[in-house]
Amino acid sequence: MNGGLQTGPYGKPYGIAYVGDLGTLVVNRSGYEIYPEWDPTAEANKIEAKKTRRNDRIA
């Protein structure tokens, strides 16, 4: 918990991070970002990085 610290995950002011095997999903009211995990064997990201803002949502 970050109660009173005014900081959230990954340098955001608020939100929540879901950490998985392929990457981390950071979600807040303004949108989401996916931070992929690095695969050292393939020397590439395990998944594609994505970012969206609140106005980018599909209707």
Side-chain angles (χ1 to χ4, degrees):
M1 290 291 244
N2 292 329
L5 297 177
Q6 300 296 320
T7 59
Y10 291 82
K12 307 283 187 241
Y14 57 89
I16 189 166
Y18 297 98
V19 180
D21 293 335
L22 301 178
T24 302
L25 173 66
V26 179
V27 182
N28 60 31
R29 284 178 263 162
S30 64
Y32 71 88
E33 289 187 54
I34 298 174
Y35 297 92
E37 288 292 321
W38 182 257
D39 184 356
T41 306
E43 295 186 0
N45 291 332
K46 291 184 177 181
I47 59 172
E48 179 184 343
K50 292 186 181 182
K51 182 176 183 179
T52 187
R53 299 193 191 283
R54 188 174 190 167
N55 295 334
D56 295 341
R57 286 189 276 172
I58 299 172

